[in-house]
Amino acid sequence: MCNTSASSSSAKDQNAGSRETDETTNDVAKSPGIHHAIVELEAKEERKNNDGDDGKESKEKERSCLSKVSAFITKALEEKFESHGRRVATYPRMTAALCLVVSALCGLGTMTFFTELRPYRLWIPQNSEFIKVMNWQAENFPSSYRQQMAVWEADNILTARVIQEMWRLHTRVMDITVGSNSTSWNDICARVPSIPMGNLGAPEEEVDYDDFDYGTLSLRRRRSANEKDTDLSLVLPRDQYCRTLDNLPKMCLETSLLEIWGLDEERIMNLTDEQVVEDVNTVQISGVFGFQVNFTKYLGSVSYDETGRVISAKAATHIWVSQVDEFAVQNGNFIVDLGSSEAVDTASMVWEKKWVDSVLNDPSRPKDLTVYAHAASSFGDISDKNIWGDVKWLMVGICIMISFVNMTLGRRNLVQQRPLLAFMGIASIGQGVAIAYGLCSILGIPYNPVNSILPILLIGLGVDDMFVIMAAWETASKHKAAVTDLVERAGKTMRHAGVAITVTSLTDVTAFAVGASTDLPALRSFCIYASVGIFAVYALQATFFLAWVVRDEQRIRENRNGFLWCVVHRDWKPWACSKRDLMADGFKWFCRFILSTPVRVVVLIFTGALMAVSVWTTLNLHQEFNPMWFIPQDSYLYKSFEATKHHFPESGEKGYIYFANISLPDDLVPLNKLVNDLTSSGVVTDVNAWFTALDNYLSHIPEIDRTTIDYSMLQDKLSIFLQSSSGASYRNDFSVDGQLECLYPAPPVSSFRISITHRPAPTPREQVKVLDTIKTLVAGVPVQGYRAAWAQAYSVWETNEVVGTELWRNMLLAAIVVGIVTLILLASFWGAFLVLMCVASTVVGVGGTMWLWGLTVDTVSCIALVLAIGLSVDYAAHIAHAFLAARTTTNKKERACLAVEGVGPAVLQGGVSTLLAFVLLAWSSSHVFITFFKVFTAASVIGLYYGLIFLPVVLSFIGPAAYDKEEEDFEKSDDTASNKEPEKTSESRQSKAYSNAAFSFDVV
C-alpha cells in the first residue's frame, strides 16, 4: 500500500474527472437518447467536484452520531482482535492443541445425541390443538395395534394368477420366524372373534375391515334391515349368549381378497379368471370372520360394466394387523419406533422388517405384478437412514472444498501451495460441527432431518472466513514490521479480518438465534444448531485456523514443500507465473466493462425486467407442506404412498371426534344433531357413531318400544350391545371406569368417540376449510363436557396454516437484524438502504426460482430463505463498504470500480465456495438436500449478480459520499511501509481505498 499527498491526490481526481467526462461524451456521441440523461447526471457531478467546493463539502461532512458509534465499535474490535492475533501467533501449537481439547470435550455431548423423526414433533407447534388432543387421546384411548399393508398392482388384479400370488405371499408371511423363540405371525397377530350369526340364510351384516388407520383397530359395521335375524344377542337369553361368547374362536386379523375363499388353498389354487370376477361381485360374507364384507372396497382403479358390475381392477390392498406384547415391553424387551416414538416389543419390530423383505423380495413373482410394502415401522426406519444416507455427498463435497481452498489460498508452486492449511481449515469446521452437535445434545435439543444440511452450510460459511483471514494475511505482509515478525503480522491480520468475520458471523448467529423463537420445532432445532455451529466455526477460524496459518508461514519461510513438510527446497525461487493474481487482473477488466455507459444501461434495463419476472413468479409460489417429502423418492415407502394415492384417490382421511364427561342419555339429542350437521356439511363422507347403531339395535327389542331410556337402562343395554355382533366393533370407542362384563350393566362412561371420514382435500386451502368447518361444528355442540376433533392429517393441515406466517415472521426478524448490523457497521443510511434493496431483490428472485423449480413454501424452504438473507447481505455489504471506504477520488464511477477491484475477487470466491458446497446435493434423494441445493444455487447466483454487477452500477450513479475522515489504519504505525512505491497506480489505490473495512476482503 502507498500514501499520496493531498496535491497529487487532487490532481489525480481532476485527471480522473477529465477522463470520465471525455469517456461519457464519446459514449453519448455514439448512443443518444437515454445516454444523454446519464451524461447530464455525470457532468453535473463533475462540475460540482471542480467548482472549488471541496472545502465547503469537507466542512459539512461532520461526523454523525452513527459514524461515531460505528467508529467506536470498530476501533474497539480492531484493538481486541490485534491483541488476540498476537497471542495466537506467540503460542500457535498450544492454541491448536487447546482448540482440539475443547472440541473433543464438547463432542462428548454427542453421547446424549438423539434424533426426532415423529412428524407431529417436528412440523407442528407443540401448543397447537392437534398436539393437545393427541396427548389427551394417548392417555384415554391408548392403542397397541400396528398395521402392515401391502398394495398389489397389475394390469388386472382380478385374475386367478394374481389371487394365487396373494396366497403365496400369505404362506411366506406365515413362515416368518424371528428370535430365539421362533416368534411367528400367529404369536404377534391381533385376534378378533368370529362373532356367531343367527340365520345364516339371511342377509348378513356388513363389516368394513380395512379401516385400521393410525394404528387403531376399528371394525365398522353397517346396519341391515334384518339385524334381529343375524344378531344372536337379540334372540338368545342374555345368560346363554354371554356363556357362548367365551367359547368363540379368535382369528388373526389379516384382510384381503383371500377372505372370499376362506383361506382355503385348494379352492384358491383351482380358481379361474371368470370365477374370481364372479365371486368378487357376489360373495358378501368373509370366509374367515363370518361377517358381511364389501370386497370391492379392497380394490383400486376399478372398472365397471354398464350394469355396475366390477369387471377389473388394477390394485388391491392386503393388510396384517399385529399387537404389541405389553408384557415384553414392561420387562424391558423393546425397541423404540423412531417414527412414532412408541415402545414396541423386540420380536414385533424384527418381524416387521422381515415382513417388508418377504413382501418386496420374491424372485419367483411374475415381472408384471408389483407389490408395495408399508410396515408400521417403515417411516421411522427410512427417515433415520435418510438422515445419514447422503453422507457420501458430504464427503465428496469436503474433498472438492479442500481442493478449491488449496488452489485459492496458495500459489501455483511447490512451496507456496497450502494443501495442509486448506485441510486444517476444513478440519476446524469439522470441530465446529462436533461442538454444535455436542452442546445441543447436552441441552436436550433433538436432531431432525433438516439438521442434516448443517455440515455443508458450515463448510460454506467457514471457507468464507478462511478467505477473509488469508486476504488480510497477504495484505499484512506488505508492512515492514510484519515481513519478519509473524507475531506482528498475525496481529495486523486479525485487526482487520477479525472485524470482518465478526460482522458476517454475528449477523448469521443473531438471525438464527431470533429464528429459534419460532413455534415450529424442526425450525427451532435447526436455528439453535446453526447458531451454535456458526459461532463455533467463527471462534475456531480465529484461533485454530490462524495458528495453522502461522505454522504454515514458518514452513514457507523455510522453503519446505507444501505437501511434504519434511522436504526442503534449496535455493528455491517461485515461478514467475505463480506471482500473478489472475483473478485480480480479471476484475480490473471486469469493473471497467460493467461500468461503461452502454453496459450500465443494459444492466439497469435487465435488472428491471428481472425484478418484474421475479415478482410475478414469486406471487405464483404457493404454500404446501407434506411430511412424505422427507421420504426418499427411491425408497419402497415412498413408492407405496404414491401407489396408494394413485389407485385409491377417493379415500378420504379418517378421524375421530372425542367426548368426555358427557351427561348420558341427556346429551344424545345434541349428539345426534351433530351427526346430521356433519353429514350435511359437505366436508365429510361418513359419520359412524355408536349411539346411532345403538338406537337401531334397540329398535329390535319390543319390550322397550316407546320407552324413555334412562341412565340405568342405557348402561344395561350398552353392555350387551358392545358384546354383540352389532356393537362389538364400537368397543374400542369407549373408555369406562371399570371392567365391561356381558352379564352386568356397563360401568360409567368417562369418554367416547365417533369416527368420521373426510372428503378428499388435496389443496391447503381446501384443507383449512374442512378443518375450520369441523372445529366450528364440534365447538357448537351444546354439551358441557370435553369435545374435540382429531385426525392424523390435521398435523399437516395445521402446519399449512402456520408455515406461511412463520416464514414472514422469521424473514422480517432476520431482515431487521441484518439491517441494524449493516447500518451500524456501514455508518451510512443510504448505503445500508442500497444493501437491503439488493438483499430484498435477491430473496424475491430466489422465491421466483423456487416456483420455476417446483418448490413450495414449507418448513425447509422457510429455513433456506432465511439463510439466503445472510448470504446475499454478505455479497452486497462488502461492495458497499468498499465503496464508502474509497477516498482517493470523489468520482462515484471510479470509486465503484475501486470497490469491485478491491473486494470483488473475495466476494466471488465466497459465492463459488457456497456453490461448491451445495452443488453435489443435486444428486441427493433427500427433500432437505434438494431444497437447499436449489435455494442456495439461486441465492448464490442471484446474490452475486446484485452484489457484483447491479450494486456497483447503482453506486456509480447515486452512491453515498465517502467516509468523511481517513480512519486510522494499521499501516499508519509503519510509515516506511506506507510510503513505498508511491507511483503505484490503481492497484495501490485500491489497497489504500479499502484498507480499514469492517467487511474487508483485501486481495493482493
Side-chain angles (χ1 to χ4, degrees):
M1 295 184 180
C2 61
N3 290 330
T4 55
S5 65
S7 59
S8 62
S9 177
S10 176
K12 288 184 178 182
D13 292 345
Q14 293 177 5
N15 292 335
S18 176
R19 289 193 302 272
E20 171 67 13
T21 305
D22 293 341
E23 180 184 340
T24 53
T25 303
N26 293 334
D27 289 338
V28 170
K30 299 177 182 179
S31 183
I34 190 170
H35 295 181
H36 181 69
I38 297 174
V39 173
E40 286 291 329
L41 182 62
E42 292 180 344
K44 182 178 180 180
E45 179 68 22
E46 292 300 325
R47 287 194 299 271
K48 179 179 178 180
N49 292 336
N50 296 325
D51 280 342
D53 293 334
D54 292 343
K56 180 179 179 181
E57 180 180 352
S58 176
K59 185 177 181 179
E60 290 176 351
K61 292 190 331 184
E62 295 292 338
R63 299 190 73 189
S64 65
C65 178
L66 179 63
S67 299
K68 292 178 181 178
V69 171
S70 178
F72 174 79
I73 294 175
T74 302
K75 182 178 179 181
L77 288 173
E78 286 178 344
E79 291 175 352
K80 292 294 184 182
F81 274 109
E82 183 171 1
S83 176
H84 164 75
R86 292 175 181 273
R87 284 194 298 270
V88 171
T90 303
Y91 308 103
R93 291 182 175 85
M94 183 181 297
T95 300
L98 184 61
C99 289
L100 289 173
V101 171
V102 172
S103 299
L105 290 176
C106 292
L108 292 176
T110 55
M111 296 176 64
T112 61
F113 177 86
F114 68 101
T115 59
E116 179 61 82
L117 299 174
R118 292 171 293 177
Y120 51 84
R121 295 298 184 193
L122 294 175
W123 316 117
I124 188 168
Q126 296 303 286
N127 60 352
S128 67
E129 184 70 14
F130 174 86
I131 296 297
K132 294 176 182 177
V133 179
M134 185 189 69
N135 292 335
W136 183 92
Q137 173 192 247
E139 181 178 350
N140 292 273
F141 289 90
S143 173
S144 59
Y145 299 101
R146 296 173 66 80
Q147 172 184 298
Q148 342 302 324
M149 183 177 71
V151 177
W152 294 82
E153 182 183 65
D155 291 337
N156 183 12
I157 290 292
L158 302 181
T159 64
R161 182 174 63 98
V162 174
I163 300 301
Q164 290 159 6
E165 287 297 325
M166 289 184 181
W167 170 256
R168 292 189 183 96
L169 178 58
H170 164 78
T171 57
R172 281 168 60 88
V173 171
M174 292 291 292
D175 292 338
I176 296 175
T177 58
V178 297
S180 58
N181 296 327
S182 299
T183 303
S184 66
W185 168 240
N186 285 324
D187 299 318
I188 67 171
C189 69
R191 294 183 178 272
V192 295
S194 182
I195 301 294
M197 306 308 248
N199 182 3
L200 295 180
E204 297 292 337
E205 184 184 17
E206 179 184 348
V207 181
D208 176 9
Y209 281 84
D210 67 344
D211 181 12
F212 301 103
D213 284 54
Y214 320 133
T216 302
L217 178 59
S218 174
L219 304 182
R220 297 299 176 220
R221 297 195 180 83
R222 305 184 185 279
R223 280 70 61 195
S224 70
N226 299 307
E227 186 161 3
K228 184 175 180 180
D229 296 329
T230 60
D231 193 331
L232 289 180
S233 69
L234 295 171
V235 179
L236 297 176
R238 184 167 183 168
D239 59 343
Q240 181 181 350
Y241 177 77
C242 291
R243 287 195 302 270
T244 304
L245 289 179
D246 296 334
N247 299 319
L248 290 179
K250 292 186 177 180
M251 309 298 293
C252 282
L253 189 50
E254 177 186 349
T255 64
S256 69
L257 294 177
L258 298 177
E259 293 177 62
I260 297 176
W261 302 280
L263 296 178
D264 187 326
E265 181 177 7
E266 184 178 355
R267 293 178 60 191
I268 291 172
M269 300 310 291
N270 290 306
L271 285 173
T272 63
D273 293 350
E274 294 76 13
Q275 188 177 352
V276 170
V277 175
E278 179 66 21
D279 289 347
V280 167
N281 282 279
T282 58
V283 175
Q284 300 179 6
I285 300 174
S286 170
V288 178
F289 304 104
F291 296 135
Q292 183 171 340
V293 181
N294 179 7
F295 288 104
T296 60
K297 296 189 67 175
Y298 296 167
L299 303 176
S301 299
V302 183
S303 298
Y304 301 88
D305 62 15
E306 60 277 3
T307 64
R309 175 184 169 88
V310 175
I311 57 176
S312 67
K314 293 186 177 181
T317 59
H318 194 160
I319 295 174
W320 292 258
V321 179
S322 61
Q323 187 168 16
V324 175
D325 185 348
E326 297 293 347
F327 181 77
V329 172
Q330 293 173 2
N331 289 329
N333 185 17
F334 67 88
I335 298 174
V336 176
D337 185 344
L338 296 176
S340 63
S341 196
E342 297 175 350
V344 183
D345 63 282
T346 304
S348 293
M349 285 291 285
V350 176
W351 185 91
E352 288 179 14
K353 292 178 173 57
K354 285 201 171 184
W355 175 87
V356 171
D357 184 67
S358 296
V359 171
L360 298 178
N361 302 315
D362 185 355
S364 64
R365 184 176 298 146
K367 300 299 182 182
D368 59 343
L369 179 60
T370 305
V371 186
Y372 303 97
H374 177 190
S377 58
S378 293
F379 190 91
D381 289 343
I382 292 179
S383 297
D384 184 55
K385 293 177 182 177
N386 189 43
I387 288 181
W388 311 107
D390 288 313
V391 173
K392 57 181 179 295
W393 301 120
L394 176 61
M395 299 308 297
V396 175
I398 290 175
C399 294
I400 293 177
M401 288 301 296
I402 292 175
S403 301
F404 175 75
V405 172
N406 178 46
M407 291 187 296
T408 307
L409 295 186
R411 297 185 181 274
R412 300 172 298 278
N413 57 63
L414 295 175
V415 173
Q416 291 179 317
Q417 59 182 332
R418 301 178 183 267
L420 184 60
L421 179 62
F423 175 80
M424 289 301 174
I426 299 296
S428 68
I429 299 171
Q431 294 175 57
V433 174
I435 291 174
Y437 283 26
L439 291 180
C440 290
S441 296
I442 292 174
L443 295 174
I445 302 168
Y447 186 88
N448 68 73
V450 179
N451 293 11
S452 57
I453 201 69
L454 186 62
I456 300 178
L457 171 66
L458 294 182
I459 288 174
L461 297 177
V463 167
D464 290 348
D465 292 345
M466 293 165 59
F467 289 148
V468 176
I469 292 173
M470 288 306 300
W473 180 264
E474 293 296 333
T475 301
S477 66
K478 293 189 175 186
H479 299 274
K480 183 177 180 180
V483 171
T484 57
D485 190 349
L486 292 181
V487 174
E488 179 73 14
R489 186 172 178 181
K492 303 303 183 185
T493 296
M494 292 308 296
R495 181 179 181 89
H496 294 267
V499 178
I501 64 175
T502 297
V503 171
T504 54
S505 299
L506 178 64
T507 301
D508 291 333
V509 170
T510 308
F512 279 113
V514 171
S517 63
T518 180
D519 289 332
L520 296 177
L523 179 56
R524 184 189 310 120
S525 171
F526 178 83
C527 287
I528 295 175
Y529 267 82
S531 294
V532 176
I534 293 171
F535 184 82
V537 169
Y538 155 73
L540 287 164
Q541 291 296 312
T543 52
F544 183 83
F545 178 70
L546 178 63
W548 276 100
V549 170
V550 174
R551 292 283 295 116
D552 196 62
E553 186 65 27
Q554 292 173 345
R555 172 195 62 81
I556 292 176
R557 293 186 177 188
E558 295 172 3
N559 292 344
R560 295 183 179 275
N561 187 277
F563 278 98
L564 301 174
W565 285 25
C566 59
V567 177
V568 179
H569 297 276
R570 306 294 181 184
D571 301 325
W572 172 85
K573 292 183 179 179
W575 301 326
C577 64
S578 67
K579 297 180 180 181
R580 292 191 58 187
D581 192 332
L582 300 179
M583 187 171 290
D585 293 342
F587 266 89
K588 291 178 183 178
W589 171 87
F590 174 75
C591 71
R592 290 193 298 268
F593 172 75
I594 64 169
L595 294 178
S596 63
T597 300
V599 175
R600 287 191 292 175
V601 173
V602 172
V603 167
L604 293 176
I605 295 174
F606 174 78
T607 303
L610 177 63
M611 277 299 301
V613 173
S614 298
V615 170
W616 178 78
T617 51
T618 301
L619 292 176
N620 288 326
L621 190 64
H622 69 281
Q623 176 183 317
E624 184 178 358
F625 171 77
N626 190 341
M628 294 304 104
W629 293 341
F630 294 91
I631 300 298
Q633 295 186 10
D634 58 353
S635 68
Y636 73 84
L637 182 59
Y638 184 88
K639 294 175 183 177
S640 177
F641 282 124
E642 288 297 302
T644 303
K645 183 172 66 174
H646 175 70
H647 293 295
F648 300 89
E650 71 285 351
S651 58
E653 299 290 346
K654 307 295 191 301
Y656 298 99
I657 300 177
Y658 292 97
F659 297 91
N661 302 321
I662 301 298
S663 178
L664 297 175
D666 299 339
D667 289 334
L668 286 177
V669 174
L671 290 175
N672 276 293
K673 184 178 183 300
L674 172 63
V675 172
N676 294 332
D677 292 341
L678 287 169
T679 303
S680 60
S681 66
V683 298
V684 297
T685 58
D686 181 60
V687 181
N688 199 341
W690 63 267
F691 44 83
T692 304
L694 177 63
D695 181 66
N696 187 50
Y697 177 83
L698 296 178
S699 67
H700 297 286
I701 305 178
E703 57 267 27
I704 63 172
D705 188 29
R706 298 184 180 181
T707 301
T708 301
I709 298 179
D710 58 14
Y711 176 77
S712 61
M713 181 180 293
L714 175 65
Q715 296 302 103
D716 184 63
K717 299 304 178 184
L718 182 62
S719 176
I720 189 66
F721 168 72
L722 294 178
Q723 304 284 347
S724 69
S725 61
S726 301
S729 62
Y730 297 99
R731 195 178 305 169
N732 288 329
D733 291 345
F734 284 87
S735 178
V736 296
D737 297 332
Q739 185 69 31
L740 187 66
E741 297 183 26
C742 181
L743 289 171
Y744 303 100
V749 177
S750 58
S751 57
F752 62 86
R753 66 188 181 188
I754 64 176
S755 66
I756 58 176
T757 302
H758 300 80
R759 193 174 299 279
T763 65
R765 180 173 298 180
E766 293 175 308
Q767 293 165 1
V768 171
K769 178 183 176 182
V770 171
L771 191 60
D772 290 343
T773 300
I774 292 177
K775 287 185 176 181
T776 300
L777 291 175
V778 172
V781 180
V783 295
Q784 296 301 317
Y786 176 84
R787 57 198 183 276
W790 187 90
Q792 187 71 39
Y794 290 177
S795 63
V796 178
W797 297 1
E798 290 190 16
T799 300
N800 279 328
E801 277 191 300
V802 302
V803 69
T805 303
E806 289 294 321
L807 173 62
W808 282 108
R809 172 186 174 278
N810 286 286
M811 289 188 64
L812 286 175
L813 288 175
I816 291 172
V817 170
V818 167
I820 292 174
V821 174
T822 303
L823 179 61
I824 292 175
L825 292 168
L826 284 183
S828 170
F829 283 102
W830 185 238
F833 172 79
L834 293 178
V835 170
L836 290 180
M837 181 182 68
C838 290
V839 172
S841 301
T842 300
V843 172
V844 173
V846 171
T849 307
M850 286 172 56
W851 177 77
L852 293 174
W853 245 329
L855 296 178
T856 62
V857 175
D858 60 16
T859 306
V860 179
S861 59
C862 176
I863 295 172
L865 283 171
V866 173
L867 286 173
I869 295 177
L871 284 179
S872 55
V873 74
D874 288 352
Y875 302 145
H878 290 300
I879 296 294
H881 195 279
F883 181 84
L884 288 166
R887 307 178 187 87
T888 58
T889 177
T890 57
N891 182 271
K892 290 183 172 62
K893 180 177 176 182
E894 188 165 336
R895 288 172 58 207
C897 189
L898 289 174
V900 174
E901 287 184 20
V903 74
V907 170
L908 181 61
Q909 288 173 347
V912 172
S913 68
T914 302
L915 283 173
L916 288 177
F918 286 91
V919 69
L920 290 178
L921 301 185
W923 287 272
S924 171
S925 60
S926 166
H927 172 70
V928 174
F929 280 14
I930 292 175
T931 299
F932 270 81
F933 160 71
K934 293 179 178 179
V935 172
F936 271 63
T937 298
S940 298
V941 174
I942 298 175
L944 286 174
Y945 169 79
Y946 281 107
L948 290 179
I949 298 178
F950 174 70
L951 183 59
V953 170
V954 173
L955 291 172
S956 70
F957 288 120
I958 55 174
Y963 288 135
D964 58 326
K965 181 181 180 181
E966 182 83 23
E967 298 180 18
E968 295 199 353
D969 194 12
F970 66 78
E971 70 270 15
K972 187 175 180 180
S973 62
D974 197 324
D975 294 335
T976 304
S978 300
N979 291 326
K980 68 179 181 180
E981 299 188 37
E983 302 84 36
K984 289 272 186 185
T985 56
S986 92
E987 184 173 359
S988 296
R989 287 183 287 127
Q990 91 181 46
S991 298
K992 178 176 178 56
Y994 196 53
S995 60
N996 189 28
F999 296 90
S1000 65
F1001 281 98
D1002 294 320
V1003 178
V1004 180

